[in-house]
Amino acid sequence: MKKTLALAISLLALFMSPAVADPIRLVVLGDSLSAGYGLGPGEGFTDQLQKALTAKGLDVAVVNAGVSGDTAGGGLARLDWSVGPDAEAVIVELGANDMLRGLDPAVPRQALDTILTRLGERKLPVLLAGMRAAPNLGPDYAQRFDSLYADLAAKHGAMLYPFFLDGVVADPGLLLEDGMHPNARGIAIIVEKILPAVEDLVAQAKR
């Protein structure tokens, strides 16, 4: 009788205990800028973002789905397996390599458009991280390239972070020796600046 009572109490306590929710799974679909190119363990964008979100008390698992050298088309080609069925929010950081190769801005526009369409079909909240064209590509190219991010964010109802390298790109002290990729200090600044937008993204995922 005592054993039966103890079992009943244990089962009641189990059912009355609050369920422990899994962390929000946030996938960063990007290129070398978010993949951690040239950086050590814990220094890359996803690692530093994870640390910043944890410090804010947010239960989020940040997944690094960055591939160095990827164009927007490359990100599209691997979308289904990079952003798996367990993803609950996505940061899309692509297009820099299209620009560096001088591809017609219509090419990354179309690829990013398709990525956002497919993520929208999955009802995933998205933060689109923008890029800007290098000055040597000329004003016409810059206008066509730079505008595609705001255009697509508005079209798909995605959140927009206008320029991923904001506050970093013009400071050699925040870049690796190649003058293009942020060093650990540069990544820290990127994370600090983008963090409020990521917090909003996580809030959307929770809803």
Side-chain angles (χ1 to χ4, degrees):
M1 181 65 179
K2 290 183 178 179
K3 290 183 178 179
T4 303
L5 181 60
L7 178 60
I9 292 172
S10 296
L11 289 173
L12 182 61
L14 177 63
F15 286 113
M16 290 181 66
S17 298
V20 178
D22 292 331
I24 298 293
R25 193 167 179 84
L26 169 59
V27 178
V28 183
L29 179 71
D31 50 38
S32 57
L33 295 175
S34 57
Y37 174 86
L39 301 174
E43 294 181 342
F45 175 72
T46 53
D47 289 334
Q48 292 202 43
L49 180 60
Q50 176 74 74
K51 184 177 179 179
L53 290 169
T54 300
K56 287 280 189 175
L58 295 172
D59 192 14
V60 181
V62 182
V63 180
N64 187 348
V67 173
S68 294
D70 241 5
T71 60
L76 173 58
R78 61 185 176 87
L79 178 64
D80 290 338
W81 60 265
S82 291
V83 184
D86 54 353
E88 295 172 272
V90 185
I91 297 174
V92 177
E93 178 278 303
L94 289 165
N97 288 308
D98 299 77
M99 178 269 295
L100 291 173
R101 297 178 187 184
L103 298 181
D104 188 317
V107 175
R109 180 184 285 267
Q110 181 176 7
L112 288 169
D113 192 6
T114 304
I115 288 173
L116 293 175
T117 296
R118 286 168 57 177
L119 293 177
E121 291 170 349
R122 295 172 57 181
K123 309 298 183 186
L124 291 172
V126 176
L127 174 59
L128 179 61
M131 184 52 55
R132 291 179 184 169
N136 65 304
L137 293 171
D140 177 67
Y141 187 98
Q143 191 282 324
R144 294 174 60 218
F145 181 84
D146 296 357
S147 64
L148 71 88
Y149 293 95
D151 291 348
L152 291 176
K155 175 181 177 180
H156 293 277
M159 296 176 59
L160 175 67
Y161 185 73
F163 185 33
F164 187 73
L165 294 175
D166 182 33
V168 174
V169 69
D171 188 340
L174 300 175
L175 301 171
L176 297 177
E177 291 183 1
D178 63 12
M180 293 189 297
H181 294 90
N183 58 28
R185 289 174 52 222
I187 291 292
I189 290 174
I190 292 171
V191 168
E192 180 183 5
K193 286 179 172 289
I194 202 174
L195 186 59
V198 178
E199 291 181 83
D200 289 344
L201 180 68
V202 171
Q204 284 191 27
K206 288 181 177 180
R207 291 196 294 268

